[in-house]
Amino acid sequence: MGAARYAAGERVFAAEDIVNDGGMPGLAEDAVIAPAGTCGMVVQSGHAELDPSQTVYLVRFENGPEGALGDPVGVLPEELSQHWPAR
């Protein structure tokens, strides 16, 4: 498994729109889960079942004006950043 870039509890940002690939029940496929720049927290890291060399992070992204965290979402490393989004 590749080395984890982010540890549980770290703040991250969506580097691009995070969309449902069909794995999140209750959301339309291709629905935007977290727009680019959304702040989230890493919950856990692991690897893709079909490709053990591919790191996957479970991230809970903010999903409301109060900053409440949504359900965990599986995200690839290249979809995340630790830099504040440019405004």
Side-chain angles (χ1 to χ4, degrees), residues 1-5 45-47 52-55 57:
M1 179 167 90
R5 293 185 203 170
S45 64
H47 66 330
S53 68
Q54 176 63 64
T55 301
Y57 295 96

Side-chain angles (χ1 to χ4, degrees), residues 35-62:
T38 302
C39 185
M41 182 183 71
V42 175
V43 177
Q44 186 175 357
S45 64
H47 66 330
E49 186 174 340
L50 296 176
D51 181 1
S53 68
Q54 176 63 64
T55 301
V56 177
Y57 295 96
L58 282 180
V59 178
R60 294 182 67 192
F61 289 102
E62 292 181 352

Side-chain angles (χ1 to χ4, degrees), residues 14-47:
E16 57 190 56
D17 288 347
I18 307 300
V19 298
N20 185 16
D21 61 3
M24 287 207 60
L27 285 180
E29 192 165 335
D30 295 328
V32 175
I33 297 168
T38 302
C39 185
M41 182 183 71
V42 175
V43 177
Q44 186 175 357
S45 64
H47 66 330

